[in-house]
Amino acid sequence: MLTIDVVPGVHLIEYAHVNCYLIEGQSGLTLVDSGLPGVWHELGTALRTLGHRPEDLRALVLTHAHFDHVGTSRRLVQRLGVPVHLHPQDAELAAHPYRYAHENPRSVYPLRHPRALPVLGSMLLAGAARVRGIDRTVPLMTGSELDVWGMTNGVAAALAMTGLLEGKAPTWHPALQEGSGLRALASGAAMGANVAAQLAGGWAQAELHELPSSPPPEGTGSVGRSEGRPVAISTVEGRTCALSAVCPHLGGVLRWNDAERSWDCPLHGSRFAPDGTRLEGPALSDLRAVPAPGVAASPGGPE
């Protein structure tokens, strides 16, 4: 069952008495815990109901690694390439989600608590006894920041201003204020410097590498120099496309995303399909099809 906007931008998925949460951000969705295996179709329905696609799921955060939290993690990695973030001390349990100590014997629990039998039965039907572990995880330390913003800046600002005007500021508002003043200016300057470094580095790498003379292997893409400009070339489902590798937003040089088979801009997250069609902004236009050595211009690509 999907409950939309438990708080603005946060949606609850409840299945077989286990909860997980979808958090909407500007560049996609973050899933907090992955439930039991049976929630897979419920998750797909929730994404469609919210107007998203599976490809919009950018990260999975595990609060801990018990089997009822790890459930669909392996499938999310294999099908969508979603990175799984959790505390490194839980990595072993995530790989083996049933190997943990129990305070009381599990075998006598149904006898002591017969009213729990319907709950246990629904969990078993949802795959509680067949969860497969996941060993491809990203360490998430206590107090560290995850580079996926869970509430859009516009929503956060609107809620904060409304609360301040009504004399009831949100509980999280003081935490946002901690990043103001000189510290915020320094952080902004560092972010700007990082964008500049990515911009310069992308152009330098493109300048140093010439495009290969033959199309890239299936499912791969590369960026190189052709006639003095960065060109992105990829082959997906037997179709090779050559495009301008320059993002039309601020001129960043694109990178190939193996997991999603897309061209991504490292500056501000614009994404494009292999044929150059824009998938996500802030870029407002598609990529241009360009000639490349040994590759005919794609007749179906944008001009």
Side-chain angles (χ1 to χ4, degrees):
M1 181 180 69
L2 173 66
T3 302
I4 298 176
D5 285 337
V6 178
V7 297
V10 180
H11 316 292
L12 166 66
I13 301 174
E14 183 181 2
Y15 187 82
H17 303 278
V18 178
N19 297 335
C20 48
Y21 294 86
L22 280 169
I23 303 176
E24 290 193 273
Q26 290 177 315
S27 59
L29 297 165
T30 298
L31 179 65
V32 178
D33 292 326
S34 66
L36 294 167
V39 82
W40 180 259
H41 294 293
E42 187 79 13
L43 176 59
T45 300
L47 290 171
R48 290 190 294 272
T49 300
L50 295 169
H52 290 280
R53 304 168 301 167
E55 293 78 10
D56 295 333
L57 195 58
R58 296 306 185 81
L60 166 63
V61 177
L62 297 179
T63 57
H64 60 285
H66 286 163
F67 65 90
D68 56 332
H69 291 247
V70 174
T72 60
S73 300
R74 188 185 186 98
R75 200 169 183 181
L76 287 168
V77 172
Q78 292 178 340
R79 293 284 188 89
L80 300 174
V82 175
V84 180
H85 302 261
L86 82 162
H87 195 282
Q89 291 185 3
D90 263 9
E92 178 67 19
L93 182 57
H96 308 283
Y98 298 106
R99 292 184 187 175
Y100 62 94
H102 298 269
E103 186 176 353
N104 298 302
R106 288 175 292 174
S107 58
V108 299
Y109 184 87
L111 300 177
R112 290 181 176 177
H113 307 279
R115 291 184 180 180
L117 286 174
V119 175
L120 295 175
S122 64
M123 292 179 67
L124 286 171
L125 288 174
R130 51 182 174 84
V131 174
R132 301 183 66 185
I134 175 69
D135 55 10
R136 292 168 55 185
T137 58
V138 181
L140 181 62
M141 301 300 296
T142 302
S144 62
E145 295 183 1
L146 182 63
D147 191 21
V148 284
W149 172 231
M151 184 185 297
T152 64
N153 294 336
V155 171
L159 291 174
M161 287 189 292
T162 301
L164 290 170
L165 289 171
E166 295 177 347
K168 297 179 293 184
T171 56
W172 42 261
H173 184 250
L176 295 184
Q177 289 183 305
E178 291 177 3
S180 61
L182 293 176
R183 184 178 178 181
L185 290 174
S187 176
M191 292 175 64
N194 180 61
V195 169
Q198 294 280 0
L199 178 63
W203 279 87
Q205 288 296 318
E207 183 64 28
L208 291 172
H209 295 87
E210 291 189 4
L211 283 176
S213 57
S214 58
E218 173 64 32
T220 65
S222 62
V223 174
R225 184 183 75 254
S226 178
E227 299 181 1
R229 59 187 176 186
V231 171
I233 183 171
S234 65
T235 301
V236 174
E237 297 181 353
R239 178 184 178 189
T240 300
C241 296
L243 310 162
S244 168
V246 180
C247 178
H249 178 227
L250 287 180
V253 175
L254 304 174
R255 296 176 180 174
W256 178 250
N257 182 332
D258 285 312
E260 298 181 297
R261 295 189 173 187
S262 63
W263 291 108
D264 299 357
C265 180
L267 302 190
H268 295 101
S270 296
R271 297 177 59 241
F272 305 87
D275 67 353
T277 303
R278 184 182 72 92
L279 299 174
E280 290 185 62
L284 299 177
S285 59
D286 298 337
L287 299 176
R288 293 184 299 104
V290 298
V295 180
S298 173
E303 296 297 332

